[in-house]
Amino acid sequence: MGEKIKSLTKKQKIWLFTIGIVVIAVIVAISVSIIADNNKINLADTYIVKVEGIDTQGTASCQINKKSLETILAQRNIDASKTNTLLTSMKCSLNKTDNLKNGDKITAIITFNDTVARQLNLSFKNTEKVIEVSGLPKGKEIDVFKDLKVTYTGISPEGKVSAVSISRDPFISKINFVSSKDKVSNGDKIMVEAKYTTQEAIAYKALVKETKKTYSVSGLPEYLSKANQLGSRNLSDIKSMSDELIGETLKISTPYFINHIPDLHADPTFTLGDNYSYTNIQLKRAYMYTMKENNNLIILPFKYNAIYTVSSVDIIANGKVVGTTFMTAEIDDAILNKGKLSGTGKNANQFNTEEDIQKSEDERFASSQFNVEPIKIQ
């Protein structure tokens, strides 16, 4: 054998030497690769992708078993505080999570803080895997809004929404229907959402195509916000409420102002012993007040609006008309309900002359806290 080697040419010896070096390099590379691979932490069994729901409406989630990873890292004698930092940074993301159907492919990827992993001399394999969705049961398509009764109560803009299904379907009976708004006004668009759990839908094999539906709010009584909402019919409503307030006030106060009315058509001085009444209440003018948004009043005189009226009234003493006085009346928070106006009567005040009323109005209109609109009375 030695003689054969000696008989080799110089070129053949160089070729054999080169082959030997290559073989050694390959063996070393394989060994290093095996060692490096053995040093990697295999994540394949430490996270799972869970798919539930109904075919075409499946949902996916990913869970990392961090307890299992803690055990693996503890076996490598890694400090617990550093382990916690690494595990906290670990996240599992999915490329698809909703509206899944059988046959869909989902890719799950584990991410982590690379800097911390390098500091701990750790590497990972199988950080990504693809699963195919299967086993989702077929569902029965169902319209959960078919028998839903949406009703509105209260007064706009503080109306309330009630959404109740009268369906006898056992799945729909478990659904909670929730409005997107707590307080509503006429004309509002609200979203009603069907709330139920995935487990409930699976149990009843309910395939819900629509979980939200839009409704328009209408039919609520509403607080008056603009004078142009009033129609001719409402003028009689205003006069009726104003006249009632004036009558209540005159029943009590007439004896105390009658002797101060200018041009009183009587010579004697009237006393508490005389009989008083009134007639011919004439509505002279009316205004509507609303609060400005930037008002700085601590105590508001009304919540939404006030209607202010000015009327003339003939006063009767002992069966005869003896003079004319002037009365103002205020109606707070007037409400329109199916075209009829109502409100809370606040008070009525007496003025001896139109000049006195005008002075009072000027003081009211001078306030920067109110929006004032005249109401057409003819």
Side-chain angles (χ1 to χ4, degrees), residues 94-277:
L94 304 174
N95 66 329
K96 295 180 182 179
T97 58
D98 301 304
N99 300 317
L100 298 171
K101 63 182 182 299
N102 290 326
D104 281 350
K105 299 285 197 306
I106 301 176
T107 301
I109 300 174
I110 298 294
T111 58
F112 51 88
N113 190 315
D114 289 327
T115 302
V116 174
R118 285 196 299 270
Q119 291 173 349
L120 298 175
N121 294 318
L122 292 175
S123 60
F124 302 94
K125 63 181 179 179
N126 293 320
T127 58
E128 179 178 328
K129 61 183 173 183
V130 177
I131 69 162
E132 181 175 338
V133 177
S134 63
L136 291 178
K138 297 291 182 181
K140 175 185 177 183
E141 190 171 326
I142 187 169
D143 180 3
V144 297
F145 295 97
K146 180 181 178 182
D147 296 312
L148 186 68
K149 300 300 180 184
V150 179
T151 55
Y152 313 105
T153 56
I155 303 171
S156 174
E158 293 188 351
K160 301 292 184 182
V161 181
S162 173
V164 178
S165 178
I166 59 173
S167 173
R168 294 183 179 180
D169 184 277
F171 168 66
I172 297 178
S173 65
K174 294 180 179 295
I175 293 176
N176 183 27
F177 293 93
V178 181
S179 168
S180 59
K181 291 186 177 182
D182 293 327
K183 294 182 180 180
V184 295
S185 305
N186 286 327
D188 280 355
K189 299 290 185 183
I190 62 167
M191 185 77 73
V192 175
E193 183 176 2
K195 298 278 192 177
Y196 56 90
T197 66
T198 301
Q199 290 73 19
E200 287 170 339
I202 294 172
Y204 291 97
K205 292 183 171 60
L207 184 60
V208 181
K209 288 292 187 181
E210 187 179 35
T211 60
K212 296 179 181 179
K213 192 171 182 178
T214 301
Y215 294 84
S216 296
V217 180
S218 63
L220 284 174
E222 59 185 311
Y223 288 107
L224 197 64
S225 60
K226 294 289 183 181
N228 61 13
Q229 292 175 264
L230 297 168
S232 57
R233 168 185 173 181
N234 301 132
L235 295 178
S236 61
D237 296 331
I238 292 172
K239 189 174 188 314
S240 177
M241 290 185 286
S242 175
D243 288 358
E244 184 177 352
L245 288 171
I246 290 171
E248 291 173 355
T249 300
L250 290 178
K251 288 176 184 177
I252 299 171
S253 63
T254 301
Y256 302 101
F257 67 76
I258 188 170
N259 292 314
H260 303 287
I261 296 176
D263 303 321
L264 194 63
H265 312 314
D267 292 332
T269 299
F270 295 101
T271 66
L272 290 173
D274 293 304
N275 295 318
Y276 306 101
S277 61

Side-chain angles (χ1 to χ4, degrees), residues 23-39:
V23 170
I24 293 171
V26 169
I27 293 172
V28 170
I30 293 173
S31 300
V32 170
S33 176
I34 292 172
I35 293 171
D37 193 60
N38 288 335
N39 285 335

